[in-house]
Structure formats: structure tokens, C-alpha cells
Amino acid sequence: MPSIEMFFLLFFIGAATGSITSIIKIAPALIAIPALYFFLPVFNLSFEHLMLPAIATCITAFIPAHLYAWIISMKKGEVDSQQLLNFAPGIAMGGVIGAQLLSLSSLFVFKIAFSLIALIAVANIVFRSRSETLHIVQVGKTWNLPIGLIIGVLSLVAGNCGHTLGHLLCRFKKVEAKLEQGTSNGFVVFASIAAMIGFIYPAQTFDHIGLTGFAGAVQLPSMIILSCSHLFFYWLCHNRGNTLDKSVLSISVIVFMAFSVFRLWIS
């Protein structure tokens, strides 16, 4: 079982990710993973040695909140079902493959992938208020699976749930603005559940460093604490926050991600 100090760390990370992502709709892993990177050394634990279980535990813990958000969007009819059918199979396959590759990856590879996803996430936040869509050359249906695979693999190698690239894909595919969030939520659900399977049966085992309660690479007690805290605060803050709140949180998250990437590379 986690120590009382670790319990509070996970609880507060869950509270922060749940409330922030509920208000401004970003990937919770973009906050949780850097937070663990900053604070694990306080407990004499190395993020480099615990990279796989830290990421696996976070992504698995956020699944209930992702499901909750997707179900709400489905009930409101705010999901582009056609785009979901086109890309979800590839994203799910990519989620499994990405989770397997992450168990074989080094911290250096993770840093590169995380930095790229963080940059795209910042761009998504900055240009969110703009109504225009991105224009690219139309591709045939045969590209749906490869595109989904790339999104799933790259997201998981970066310790992400697929929200950032899923949102970008919606803009490329000209999904209606009111359907973007619900559709990206669907992508996230498929990627996260598939990744959970890959994390339970990782391609390469890791050193537990004396810790117990693992299902594959997922540390179950930590996952439960983080999941309950994240889901509760996500529900508590759902449909709350005015325009000023969202603007302040968006700027704060951008600054946090910038310092996180900087800290990753100078450590």
C-alpha cells in the first residue's frame, strides 16, 4: 500500500487533474506525469526506473472519468459517430502497440514524444477559440487505419491518452465544433482501454523496486486512489467555470507544460 504521504500526493494530483480537465478539456496525463516526475524523488524513487508503472497507473486511473465524459456526450448527441467508426479501430490497436513499445522505451524517447505532444496541446489551447478548421489534402478511407495507429502509438509512447492528437484529428477532419469534444472523448476511451490491456501484459517486465499490488505495470492501490480523486473532482467541476476561469486555467496550464518540458530536458 502507498504511504500516507504518497496517498496525499496521488489524491491532490487527482484533484488537480480532475478539476482542471473538467473545465478546460485537456489530457489529464499532461499534468499528472510531470507532477510525478517532480515529486517522486521526494520519496527516494526514480521516475526513470518507474516510468512505465507511473504512466500505466495514471492512464488506467483516468479511464472512469473518460467514460463518464463520453457517455454524457453520447447522451447529448455531441459525437461524430462516423469519424469515431473510421478511426477508433486504428487508435485502439495503436494504444495496445504504444503501451507495449513504452515498456521497451527509454526516458529519452519518452522526453521527445512528450515534448511533441505538449507542443501540440499548447497549440490546441491557443487556437481553441478560433472557429476555422484546418485544411489538408483529403485522403482515402484506406488511410483511416494507419492514421489511427499513428495517433494511438505516438500518444501512448508520450504517456498520453490520445486526447491531444484526437482533438487535432477532429480539426483536420472538419468535425463540427460542438462535436469535437465528444468525438475526441471517444478516441480517448478506445485508446485508454486498449492501453490498459497492453500495460497489464507489457512486452518487457520491470523492477518493482519492492512495491506490491501490481497488475502488470499498473499499481492497483495507487490507481484506485488517483482514479477516485480524479473522477470525483471531474464530476464536481463539470459544467462549471466562467470565461475568465477558463482563460486563467489555460494560461496556467500552458506555463506549467512549458516548465515541465524544460525541467525534463535539464534534469
Side-chain angles (χ1 to χ4, degrees), residues 112-184:
I112 294 174
F114 182 87
S115 300
L116 176 61
I117 295 297
L119 178 62
I120 296 173
V122 169
N124 284 342
I125 294 173
V126 171
F127 296 106
R128 179 177 294 164
S129 59
R130 298 191 178 185
S131 58
E132 69 268 17
T133 55
L134 301 172
H135 298 280
I136 59 171
V137 177
Q138 294 297 318
V139 296
K141 293 183 178 180
T142 54
W143 285 94
N144 290 346
L145 184 61
I147 291 173
L149 279 170
I150 292 171
I151 290 174
V153 171
L154 181 56
S155 294
L156 266 298
V157 171
N160 197 263
C161 55
H163 180 277
T164 302
L165 292 181
H167 182 76
L168 185 63
L169 176 64
C170 288
R171 299 201 66 188
F172 274 123
K173 300 303 292 184
K174 303 179 183 179
V175 174
E176 292 183 48
K178 67 177 182 179
L179 305 182
E180 281 188 13
Q181 188 58 43
T183 306
S184 62

Side-chain angles (χ1 to χ4, degrees), residues 51-125:
M51 183 181 73
L52 178 62
I55 295 174
T57 300
C58 286
I59 291 179
T60 305
F62 300 142
I63 290 177
H66 294 321
L67 277 171
Y68 173 73
W70 187 44
I71 290 171
I72 290 176
S73 298
M74 291 285 285
K75 287 182 177 180
K76 293 180 178 179
E78 297 178 349
V79 175
D80 190 327
S81 300
Q82 186 57 55
Q83 298 299 342
L84 201 59
L85 289 172
N86 288 343
F87 295 101
I91 290 175
M93 292 173 62
V96 176
I97 296 171
Q100 298 288 302
L101 290 176
L102 186 65
S103 70
L104 302 171
S105 298
S106 64
L107 182 61
F108 180 73
V109 173
F110 166 75
K111 288 179 180 180
I112 294 174
F114 182 87
S115 300
L116 176 61
I117 295 297
L119 178 62
I120 296 173
V122 169
N124 284 342
I125 294 173

Side-chain angles (χ1 to χ4, degrees), residues 177-200:
K178 67 177 182 179
L179 305 182
E180 281 188 13
Q181 188 58 43
T183 306
S184 62
N185 286 339
F187 293 149
V188 169
V189 168
F190 282 94
S192 299
I193 293 177
M196 179 179 66
I197 297 172
F199 287 134
I200 292 176

